[in-house]
Amino acid sequence: MKLVVQVKLLPTPEQAAALEATLRECNQAADLVARTAFTTGITREYDLRKQTYATLKERGLGAQAAQHVIKKVADAYTTLKANLRAGNLGPPTSPRRIRAENKPIAFRPHAAQPYDDRCLSWQLQAGTVSIWTTAGRLRGVAFICSDQQWAMLSAHRRGESDLVLRDGRWFLIATCDLPDVPLAEPDGFLGVDLGIANIATTAEGTRHTGRGLNAVRHRNRELRRRLQAKKTKSAKRLLKRRRRKEARFAADTNHVIAKRIVTEAERTGRGIALEDLHGIRERVRLRKPQRVTLHSWSFHQLGSFIAYKARRAGIALVYVDPAHTSQQCSVCGHTGRANRPGQARFCCTSCGFAEHADVNAARNIASRGVAGWAVSHAA
């Protein structure tokens, strides 16, 4: 399995200037390649290389940098086509889709640039890297990371690394290829119900409440609204400084929850069953005050964290149909809207079973996980 390790670079002012000039030049070259791909209709990497490689070399890019720029553009058009096929940019008549189809892809001046081992080398013992720039090879660029990250880099780093400039700070995001852990045969499944009031609820009754996270988001939303209304320079500086703060807080919360769920499954020898919530934003219809809460709900991120942590631990993971899990009785199987008189209450109108609604849903997810695993591994 592949994981990424992010390390922070500590370049001198001269080194930082060379790195910034390199990003600008590479992304200007990427814009040129993207315009060529748009006008000619050629988006395959090999064919695009025939059209643009010589031009990029004339601009002063190195051979590897030029090929990475071409590959970056080809990958961007592949992603665009996939989004168009999946309908992620709306129906064919939507303004957003029309704009995406009728102009070439553009790259930010400081967009990330990939490097391979020919133009980037790591000196882990010294804590430095040697990296190609348009001004020549920079040697002895210092970096810092945790002991765990250092061990991961020294044992498993493979493939490309991305140079990133974010909020005035430099990072290298390195790809690590870890050996696959054999999948253990699960002794049952731990059902996990994802929600807004409770971010995650397990079939054992453990509820990871979303009250704190929702309060932080509401407070940040109100602060952004007031600062945007002021339109002063100091307000804009504060808005810029607070960028991504809420996203980092939400990601940390999701990491903690995912780790606890995977640890519980590993301790009890069970697999994990999750709801398949793909496309929920398009399916669910809510009143306007509730839409902000739904669209800021990072359930996909939490699910991806649980998935990769479970894979690292060799724990089975299955996705089940989420339909009516909150209305179905986990004891007798009776399904009906009347079974759920409130957001947190579940009371079966058939057998009288009562439980917290999210716990009942998690138990239904766990039973569907057992059935899904049995069907997929029947052979």
Side-chain angles (χ1 to χ4, degrees), residues 123-363:
Q123 295 80 44
L124 294 176
Q125 296 295 337
T128 60
V129 296
S130 172
I131 187 169
W132 172 88
T133 67
T134 53
R137 190 90 175 189
L138 291 184
R139 304 184 187 278
V141 182
F143 72 87
I144 56 174
C145 63
S146 67
D147 293 339
Q148 183 180 5
Q149 291 173 320
W150 190 92
M152 181 82 73
L153 287 171
S154 60
H156 304 294
R157 190 194 64 80
R158 300 289 186 278
E160 296 180 354
S161 302
D162 288 344
L163 177 65
V164 177
L165 175 60
R166 185 187 304 138
D167 297 335
R169 293 176 292 180
W170 291 94
F171 300 94
L172 275 175
I173 302 178
T175 303
C176 295
D177 192 359
L178 278 68
D180 291 333
V181 178
L183 201 63
E185 183 67 24
D187 183 17
F189 277 83
L190 178 66
V192 181
D193 177 65
L194 304 180
I196 296 176
N198 294 308
I199 299 177
T201 304
T202 68
E204 301 298 321
T206 304
R207 298 200 300 271
H208 302 279
T209 178
R211 184 180 304 167
L213 180 57
N214 290 333
V216 169
R217 282 181 168 151
H218 177 73
R219 186 167 64 250
N220 288 336
R221 192 162 58 244
E222 288 299 308
L223 179 59
R224 285 195 300 269
R225 182 184 61 80
R226 294 198 302 270
L227 291 174
Q228 289 166 356
K230 286 183 177 296
K231 298 181 181 179
T232 61
K233 289 185 177 180
S234 60
K236 292 177 182 179
R237 283 198 301 269
L238 183 56
L239 281 169
K240 185 176 180 180
R241 190 164 65 246
R242 293 183 62 85
R243 279 193 315 168
R244 303 191 184 95
K245 186 173 182 180
E246 180 182 328
R248 290 195 299 269
F249 177 79
D252 178 71
T253 302
N254 284 337
H255 269 298
V256 172
I257 294 174
K259 187 174 182 179
R260 290 176 179 172
I261 291 172
V262 172
T263 301
E264 175 66 16
E266 186 177 20
R267 183 183 65 83
T268 57
R270 289 178 291 180
I272 299 175
L274 292 177
E275 299 169 284
D276 184 5
L277 297 177
H278 180 73
I280 188 173
R281 286 188 174 95
E282 290 74 26
R283 296 196 307 267
V284 175
R285 295 292 180 265
L286 296 174
R287 292 181 292 110
K288 191 172 182 179
Q290 296 175 310
R291 292 174 194 166
V292 175
T293 304
L294 175 68
H295 288 281
S296 62
W297 181 35
S298 53
F299 62 88
H300 176 74
Q301 185 187 70
L302 176 58
S304 65
F305 287 172
I306 293 174
Y308 95 80
K309 292 177 188 293
R311 188 177 175 189
R312 286 192 68 181
I315 295 173
L317 176 69
V318 296
Y319 293 92
V320 303
D321 183 5
H324 308 300
T325 53
S326 62
Q327 300 176 8
Q328 179 181 352
C329 178
S330 59
V331 175
C332 69
H334 173 69
T335 303
R337 288 189 177 184
N339 287 350
R340 192 168 180 178
Q343 186 277 326
R345 293 178 56 207
F346 180 89
C347 184
C348 181
T349 57
S350 176
C351 68
F353 172 73
E355 181 57 275
H356 190 282
D358 293 341
V359 176
N360 177 75
R363 291 177 180 174

